[in-house]
Amino acid sequence: QSALTQPASVSGSPGQSITISCTGTSSDVGSYNLVSWYQQHPGKAPKLMIYEGSKRPSGVSNRFSGSKSGNTASLTISGLQAEDEADYYCCSYAGSSTLWVFGGGTKLTVL
Amino acid sequence: QVQLQESGPGLVKPSQTLSLTCTVSGGSISSGGYYWSWIRQHPGKGLEWIGYIYYSGSTYYNPSLKSRVTISVDTSKNQFSLKLSSVTAADTAVYYCARVNGSSTIDYWGQGTLVTVSS
């Protein structure tokens, strides 16, 4: 069982927007603005999409955005494209004892 | 551009020790400020932290694996390594080496290497 809870799957049609949630606790997501999101295509290494909750690395489309409310972080993808179909993982800092925890991953299907 | 590359046996027998090395290019492990990490992914499953090493040699291990894990660094070769002892089939996974920066972001990943535990 993962420390952070994500929906197992989400889906959307091209052009639509979807949101993936990542629920933690007051010991991780709720206490730190250090949530990151990773995209993983089959057989590939994960790729950083969002860091520090809402910042985008250079080269990542502005269709990807991140936010947080309380103990839940969210990744929103707008203007869905076929290439967005992948698994998405959240990760949060969880303090000096645990350090980092992952979510269980969400499979995004573009219909 | 920092690049990480895992190397090591793809097949390990049960009860033996899994050994992997990560070679870093495009940046120096000795420069500090980063946590050089190992992460694994069981087939069809999510990501699991194994641990990290700082350039100074300080380490952190996932408590669930701590008794079997050793991570070391060779700054002269710009490499860090993972040893996982007493492996079982449950340790079959893709193993990634990665760099974590000061804001807890995994900014660079290796391509990953599949290690199968089987006799």
Side-chain angles (χ1 to χ4, degrees):
Chain A
Q1 186 174 355
S2 300
L4 305 179
T5 301
Q6 297 180 233
S9 62
V10 298
S11 62
S13 299
Q16 289 186 332
S17 294
I18 63 94
T19 296
I20 299 171
S21 61
C22 170
T23 301
T25 68
S26 58
S27 298
D28 38 64
V29 175
S31 287
Y32 309 97
N33 202 24
L34 294 175
V35 174
S36 49
W37 289 90
Y38 304 88
Q39 175 192 66
Q40 186 179 35
H41 287 111
K44 300 293 187 182
K47 174 188 174 184
L48 175 65
M49 305 302 286
I50 296 289
Y51 66 101
E52 293 180 16
S54 61
K55 299 179 181 178
R56 272 189 314 276
S58 173
V60 171
S61 170
N62 59 9
R63 297 186 297 105
F64 291 82
S65 62
S67 62
K68 189 184 87 167
S69 177
N71 296 336
T72 298
S74 297
L75 173 71
T76 298
I77 309 173
S78 59
L80 269 180
Q81 299 179 0
E83 67 207 48
D84 299 332
E85 185 163 293
D87 294 327
Y88 291 84
Y89 293 91
C90 61
C91 180
S92 175
Y93 180 68
S96 58
S97 297
T98 305
L99 286 185
W100 303 296
V101 289
F102 282 111
T106 298
K107 181 176 181 58
L108 168 62
T109 300
V110 180
L111 302 170
Chain B
Q1 178 80 346
V2 174
Q3 292 185 313
L4 296 90
Q5 177 69 58
E6 305 89 352
S7 59
L11 180 65
V12 181
K13 288 182 168 49
S15 80
Q16 293 190 341
T17 296
L18 177 161
S19 296
L20 295 174
T21 295
C22 182
T23 301
V24 180
S25 58
S28 173
I29 289 178
S30 299
S31 62
Y34 301 102
Y35 304 88
W36 302 95
S37 301
W38 289 97
I39 296 163
R40 70 181 182 178
Q41 186 170 33
H42 293 102
K45 301 296 185 182
L47 300 164
E48 178 184 27
W49 282 100
I50 299 173
Y52 77 75
I53 191 162
Y54 199 60
Y55 80 100
S56 60
S58 62
T59 55
Y60 167 84
Y61 302 136
N62 184 326
S64 69
L65 298 169
K66 188 173 183 177
S67 63
R68 299 193 292 130
V69 173
T70 301
I71 298 176
S72 59
V73 65
D74 186 338
T75 54
S76 67
K77 294 181 179 179
N78 221 29
Q79 296 176 332
F80 62 105
S81 298
L82 168 71
K83 290 189 185 297
L84 181 65
S85 64
S86 304
V87 297
T88 69
D91 294 308
T92 293
V94 174
Y95 287 76
Y96 293 100
C97 59
R99 189 183 85 167
V100 180
N101 66 22
S103 65
S104 295
T105 299
I106 310 166
D107 53 6
Y108 291 99
W109 297 73
Q111 65 184 27
T113 187
L114 173 64
V115 178
T116 301
V117 179
S118 175
S119 56

